[in-house]
């Protein structure tokens, strides 16, 4: 039945017209496909660039200046409250509409605030 440590699939009995051999091959194929998917999946890497550096100031703004706004529609107010200078630099030409999320400009704003904070420290 085994030759060189490998199972000889031709010697397995058949069942209801469908052979064990084809079922075993199907299972082996599925296992191989799952292993490929698992190997290719990589965890998302988080770095300092994607995190908000101004979360404390943003929390203060949520409790004061921007508390009248719905949480889904307060991005423009928060940006203006956290840093008026960066808000003017990034959003002045095209202000955010209520509920709008603009990831690219949000990243620019976060970078600007980070630069402001570094200048304040140094």
């Amino acid at each position: 039945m085994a030759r060189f440590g490998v199972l000889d699939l031709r010697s397995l009995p058949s069942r209801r017209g469908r052979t064990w051999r084809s079922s075993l091959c199907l299972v082996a194929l599925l296992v191989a496909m799952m292993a490929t998917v698992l190997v290719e999946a990589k965890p998302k890497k988080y770095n300092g660039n994607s995190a908000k550096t101004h979360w404390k100031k943003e929390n203060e703004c949520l409790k004061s200046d921007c508390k009248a706004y719905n949480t889904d529609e307060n991005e423009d107010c928060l940006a203006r409250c956290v840093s008026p200078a960066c808000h003017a630099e990034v959003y002045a030409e095209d202000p955010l509409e209520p509920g709008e999320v603009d990831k690219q400009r949000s990243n620019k704003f976060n970078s600007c605030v980070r630069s402001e904070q570094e200048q304040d420290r140094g």
Side-chain angles (χ1 to χ4, degrees):
M1 182 154 183
R3 191 185 318 166
F4 300 108
V6 177
L7 181 64
D8 185 8
L9 298 177
R10 291 174 286 189
S11 65
L12 292 175
S14 64
R15 182 177 156 198
R16 284 200 244 160
R18 190 172 195 189
T19 65
W20 283 97
R21 182 177 34 173
S22 62
S23 296
L24 190 58
C25 286
L26 181 61
V27 169
L29 178 66
L30 289 172
V31 168
M33 289 172 50
M34 289 173 52
T36 303
V37 170
L38 292 174
V39 169
E40 291 178 7
K42 296 178 184 174
K44 184 174 181 177
K45 293 183 180 178
Y46 293 97
N47 57 19
N49 296 337
S50 63
K52 287 185 180 180
T53 59
H54 51 274
W55 61 272
K56 286 183 182 179
K57 177 67 175 166
E58 194 172 273
N59 284 337
E60 292 172 14
C61 293
L62 282 170
K63 295 174 185 173
S64 58
D65 296 355
C66 301
K67 70 179 178 183
Y69 293 91
N70 185 324
T71 55
D72 294 336
E73 300 176 347
N74 66 356
E75 288 298 317
D76 192 55
C77 178
L78 288 174
R80 195 177 323 109
C81 178
V82 167
S83 172
C86 290
H87 179 270
E89 181 181 320
V90 176
Y91 298 111
E93 290 181 19
D94 184 20
L96 285 173
E97 296 177 10
E100 179 183 3
V101 176
D102 186 333
K103 191 69 176 165
Q104 185 175 7
R105 290 195 295 168
S106 176
N107 288 340
K108 282 183 183 179
F109 178 79
N110 289 339
S111 177
C112 178
V113 172
R114 193 175 309 111
S115 296
E116 268 187 356
Q117 289 176 344
E118 288 172 5
Q119 287 175 357
D120 290 346
R121 286 186 207 136

